[in-house]
Amino acid sequence: MSARLTDRVARLMRAMTIDEKIGQLNMLSGGLVVTGPGEPGDYMAALKAGSVGSLLNLFGRGQVREVQRIAVEETRLGIPLIFGYDVIHGHRTIFPIPLAEASAFDPALWERTARIAALEAAAEGLTLTFAPMLDVSRDPRWGRMAESGGEDPWLTARFAIAKVKGFQGDDLKSPLSIAATAKHLAAYGASVAGRDYAQVEVSERSLHEVYLPPFEAAVAAGVAAIMPAFTDMDNIPLTAHVAILRDMVRRQWGFEGVIISDYTAINELVPHGVAADVTEAAALALKAGVDIDLMGLAYVEGLPKALQSGAVSMEHIDQAAQRVLMLKEELGLFDDPYRDAAVKFDHKARRVEHRDIARDAARRSIVLLSNRGNILPVTQPPRRVAMLGPLANAQAEMLGPWSGAGLIEDMVPFLPGMRAAWHESEILYAPGVSIEGGDTKGIEAAVGFAERADIVLLCLGEERYMSGEAASRARPDLPGHQEALARAVLATGKPVIVLLSSGRPLIVPWLFEVAQAVLATWFLGSEAGHAVADVITGQWSPSAKLPVSWPADRGQVPVFYAHRPSGRPMAPANRYSSKYLDLPNEPLFPFGHGLSYTRFTHRDFNVSPSELRAGAKVTLSVSVRNDGPVAGEETVLFFLRDPVASVSRPVLELKGMGKAWLEPRQTKTVEITLSTDDLAFPGTDYAPRLEPGVIEFFAGPSARDEDLLKAEVHVVV
Ligand code: GLC
């Protein structure tokens, strides 16, 4: 975004009345979908009065064109509207939820699915998405973990860059590009007790080390917009946080794009207890740098009075209005308000291709958590299969939360996917219980099918809206009576493969002790059933890895790999060390955990050169061999640790990753190059600081200590 105004914008600014300028700061709902509290009002009167600058939750070529025509032809200045929507993991073609896609550890995939989402969204008149969500998430009680890239700042920063590039393309002016919104700045994922919207208690250092890097990466990648979080930082709501929004994001990071409030978040400064009324709230948000008021009507109602009282200046209003008009200029809306080229893009013709990519994304997002006795893959179709559980044929749930314009009827659930793969097998289907209902009468029939089957696919998990916004769960385990169903089916002694559909790790340690195999299938979108079939039959050897630690018990939460050692690091033999009396410290499955149908061996970890000066590059390489029976893709994770520094450093920090496709008995070298910038950490002023001394590097399949190869370098500054 360039701060310099175009002549057209300068001319409009001179022509606009105060009310028209405030109107550009007003975003109202088009009412096709509801994504927040309250009922969307009627925007048409405000639109014709020039009091609306953008709409959300309205899409479809006909509706958007007609509303845009009114804006362009029936308002005094004819300023076109921006049309925004939550295109989070697909528009019509639905991809795996972000937490699932993060499991692929694949920036090229993340960009590809965002590009397709942009094409399909732009073809239906949308010009902005409220994505990517970049909140580092370490608490599975928090439902919005489903929307995130997981627990790691570096991985989430890669996710940020890939999604911004995918949504925005090479040119925001292209009719097939949509503006991306980095949200929700910042540390929203650290809401106390995992309760959505709750207060956040994060140190300034953790803010800079963990929660800000993905947003800084998004800004560096050219993201067009930023959305502050509902929550607070140091008791100041982000929506009114001058130090973060104005001083850091705008002045220090140089962000010249638009800041869009979250849904009625400006009004919520009153219940936050920092504003007495909507006029004070509007003044606080505008002075912090919030340009657009999403659904609150706070700017329209509050700014005229705030201006009159001197609480805000005309310059504050002008700056916000200019940024909104410049975004419309960058999107090419003044020259091409109807973006006909996008509307001409016949995404229906591309739907088959898009579904193929959705299938590939889905199978790359399935994490094989356990596979006792290598029961998987089932390469020969069984004679009789029991597909049991409330998620076995749950077409709607495959959409997951925030499912864009996805249609239930377009989703392929597990049952038809398996039927297509095992078309000669007899497949017995019984839900057994509902996802969270109290009825257990169906368990007997399900057990009866299990007893007649050669193998059981037991499909358990959450409803799609048990994660996402306003969906925190204090006990993130199997809802309803699914545990009773599972135990009854497992008691038959038949081989049972469990498919877990969820927007978070489900804390069910007992399940892994009795089920032969467990797959984390998250919510996989349009091609869920076919992707699951590809993995179960061995068409695809699972390659995904956990982007979040999977707790053994909710008592461990939050549990994450990049923790600091403390002065008394956990030592089993040492009573006085950081540990529990009743639980292990380690999660059930660590960050990066994910089994394959083959076996990869990592060896010969090399780091060169062994001495680094500031500005130098360092190459990390490891040899990976496929020692197993089938081909597969391995992702090598590269971590570092700074054992002695001016501030305590985490025991591990992810700094790179590399992939290799390996045939059986094939060996390849996976290599990445880092710079000393990657070895720096925020100093006392939070600027990147490189310190002399030893840096330890680690390479391996996951953050599990036993899996890691180690090497070290000396930094000389
Ligand atoms: C919601 C969400 C935000 C979303 C916005 C618009 O409340 O917090 O993620 O983009 O409102 O729907």
Side-chain angles (χ1 to χ4, degrees):
M1 288 285 292
S2 62
R4 193 187 57 74
L5 303 186
T6 59
D7 294 345
R8 170 165 42 206
V9 166
R11 195 170 54 251
L12 277 172
M13 287 301 294
R14 289 192 296 272
M16 288 162 83
T17 64
I18 292 174
D19 285 347
E20 285 167 333
K21 288 176 181 176
I22 293 172
Q24 286 301 307
L25 315 186
N26 188 27
M27 178 184 272
L28 294 181
S29 170
L32 200 63
V33 182
V34 177
T35 56
E39 289 306 314
D42 175 16
Y43 61 87
M44 196 50 79
L47 171 58
K48 291 181 175 175
S51 297
V52 179
S54 44
L55 289 180
L56 77 149
N57 298 348
L58 179 69
F59 51 85
R61 22 186 98 182
Q63 295 103 310
V64 169
R65 185 178 184 81
E66 175 50 20
V67 173
Q68 190 70 300
R69 186 199 62 75
I70 292 170
V72 170
E73 298 178 3
E74 298 185 16
T75 62
R76 191 175 77 88
L77 295 170
I79 298 172
L81 297 167
I82 285 171
F83 291 87
Y85 188 44
D86 291 285
V87 182
I88 307 295
H89 54 104
H91 181 66
R92 292 289 179 187
T93 305
I94 301 303
F95 300 105
I97 57 171
L99 186 65
E101 256 201 7
S103 309
F105 284 74
D106 190 341
L109 173 72
W110 300 336
E111 182 175 344
R112 193 176 315 129
T113 59
R115 184 88 298 269
I116 288 170
L119 291 178
E120 294 186 355
E124 294 203 80
L126 291 166
T127 41
L128 178 141
T129 177
F130 304 113
M133 187 273 209
L134 301 176
D135 298 304
V136 170
S137 305
R138 296 176 165 179
D139 190 331
R141 294 172 294 183
W142 192 52
R144 304 202 78 165
M145 174 182 270
E147 306 169 48
S148 80
E151 74 178 54
D152 184 76
W154 183 88
L155 191 68
T156 306
R158 301 305 58 78
F159 192 80
I161 295 163
K163 290 298 179 185
V164 168
K165 286 166 68 178
F167 286 129
Q168 298 189 169
D170 298 330
D171 176 9
L172 213 43
K173 266 194 173 50
S174 160
L176 297 179
S177 291
I178 58 177
T181 307
K183 75 182 186 183
H184 311 79
L185 184 122
Y188 184 11
S191 300
V192 157
R195 215 169 40 251
D196 208 353
Y197 316 122
Q199 69 193 65
V200 167
E201 300 301 338
V202 157
S203 69
E204 191 171 6
R205 174 160 291 281
S206 291
L207 176 68
H208 284 270
E209 291 195 2
V210 177
Y211 298 101
L212 288 177
F215 291 93
E216 205 164 359
V219 168
V223 73
I226 286 177
M227 180 183 283
F230 286 119
T231 44
D232 62 2
M233 177 60 59
D234 295 332
N235 300 43
I236 303 169
L238 270 305
T239 304
H241 210 297
V242 173
I244 289 180
L245 298 186
R246 189 194 65 188
D247 298 346
M248 187 185 69
V249 170
R250 290 206 185 282
R251 292 180 179 167
Q252 199 177 321
W253 292 2
F255 177 66
E256 294 170 334
V258 168
I259 295 180
I260 305 172
S261 84
D262 205 334
Y263 203 108
T264 66
I266 296 175
N267 312 61
E268 292 167 19
L269 296 177
V270 175
H272 262 296
V274 297
D277 55 33
V278 71
T279 301
E280 277 188 28
L284 286 173
L286 187 73
K287 286 189 288 188
V290 176
D291 300 310
I292 291 181
D293 166 14
L294 194 159
M295 267 309 283
L297 285 168
Y299 277 0
V300 169
E301 289 170 13
L303 285 184
K305 295 175 196 154
L307 186 62
Q308 199 170 14
S309 71
V312 298
S313 67
M314 198 59 229
E315 187 190 1
H316 288 123
I317 293 173
D318 283 347
Q319 283 174 349
Q322 286 165 3
R323 285 192 285 258
V324 174
L325 294 181
M326 282 306 292
L327 177 54
K328 295 181 178 182
E329 192 75 274
E330 306 265 337
L331 282 163
L333 289 175
F334 288 110
D335 298 318
D336 180 14
Y338 304 107
R339 303 187 111 200
D340 284 333
V343 173
K344 287 197 188 91
F345 169 74
D346 177 3
H347 64 82
K348 283 193 173 56
R350 292 271 298 265
R351 295 295 284 280
V352 171
E353 178 194 340
H354 291 179
R355 290 192 78 107
D356 288 345
I357 292 170
R359 181 168 178 165
D360 185 49
R363 60 188 172 208
R364 287 171 177 275
S365 303
I366 296 170
V367 183
L368 178 56
L369 295 172
S370 61
N371 188 17
R372 293 172 345 142
N374 291 325
I375 183 175
L376 283 172
V378 180
T379 52
Q380 295 306 316
R383 183 176 51 84
R384 183 176 294 140
V385 184
M387 279 202 76
L388 308 176
L391 275 298
N393 195 28
Q395 193 169 28
E397 306 322 314
M398 298 301 104
L399 285 162
W402 295 108
S403 54
L407 300 174
I408 293 174
E409 60 265 29
D410 285 347
M411 299 300 112
V412 177
F414 300 154
L415 182 60
M418 293 312 302
R419 283 202 166 122
W422 287 342
H423 47 271
E424 292 178 358
S425 304
E426 182 187 6
I427 297 185
L428 308 172
Y429 161 61
V433 295
S434 58
I435 292 176
E436 65 169 344
D439 180 359
T440 58
K441 288 195 297 293
I443 290 179
E444 186 180 347
V447 169
F449 281 170
E451 285 165 343
R452 293 171 50 201
D454 303 310
I455 196 166
V456 178
L457 300 185
L458 181 56
C459 308
L460 307 171
E462 296 180 318
E463 276 183 351
R464 55 192 288 226
Y465 291 127
M466 287 179 176
S467 62
E469 184 178 359
S472 294
R473 295 182 66 208
R475 295 193 173 100
D477 52 21
L478 282 174
H481 291 276
Q482 294 184 58
E483 178 171 344
L485 170 68
R487 289 187 183 279
V489 168
L490 289 159
T492 63
K494 292 286 183 171
V496 177
I497 295 160
V498 175
L499 282 65
L500 281 183
S501 296
S502 65
R504 52 165 59 90
L506 292 182
I507 303 178
V508 285
W510 54 271
L511 184 64
F512 298 94
E513 289 162 13
V514 284
Q516 272 73 17
V518 182
L519 292 156
T521 58
W522 314 111
F523 292 111
L524 294 169
S526 301
E527 288 290 300
H530 295 311
V532 157
D534 289 346
V535 167
I536 286 178
T537 61
Q539 291 300 307
W540 180 261
S541 171
S543 54
K545 295 169 177 279
L546 288 178
V548 287
S549 306
W550 193 290
D553 186 289
R554 62 176 179 264
Q556 293 181 318
V557 171
V559 57
F560 50 95
Y561 85 88
H563 62 82
R564 297 194 293 276
S566 89
R568 293 187 173 184
M570 199 288 273
N574 177 355
R575 177 182 169 204
Y576 299 99
S577 67
S578 177
K579 65 185 187 315
Y580 302 106
L581 293 179
D582 53 354
L583 274 176
N585 289 14
E586 293 71 31
L588 188 63
F589 302 112
F591 177 85
H593 173 78
L595 303 180
S596 163
Y597 293 151
T598 190
R599 288 183 312 284
F600 296 109
T601 307
H602 297 211
R603 56 168 67 92
D604 303 333
F605 179 33
N606 191 289
V607 177
S608 172
S610 59
E611 185 169 288
L612 297 178
R613 294 186 177 282
K617 301 284 186 194
V618 58
T619 300
L620 290 71
S621 67
V622 68
S623 171
V624 183
R625 177 177 160 79
N626 181 346
D627 289 333
V630 297
E633 180 179 87
E634 171 66 321
T635 300
V636 178
L637 303 181
F638 294 92
F639 300 91
L640 73 73
R641 181 184 180 200
D642 189 341
V644 180
S646 54
V647 294
S648 175
R649 307 307 306 141
V651 294
L652 278 179
E653 291 180 273
L654 183 65
K655 291 293 181 182
M657 60 184 172
K659 284 180 181 291
W661 176 267
L662 293 166
E663 297 298 327
R665 289 174 303 287
Q666 188 178 17
T667 298
K668 285 182 181 173
T669 298
V670 176
E671 184 174 293
I672 65 164
T673 299
L674 298 176
S675 78
T676 49
D677 294 347
D678 299 304
L679 314 188
F681 59 88
T684 48
D685 58 355
Y686 301 114
R689 175 181 171 83
L690 180 67
E691 292 187 349
V694 169
I695 292 287
E696 297 169 345
F697 283 111
F698 301 86
S702 78
R704 192 196 326 267
D705 289 347
E706 308 84 86
D707 296 342
L708 293 172
L709 302 173
K710 181 180 175 182
E712 59 184 51
V713 297
H714 284 257
V715 174
V716 180
V717 290

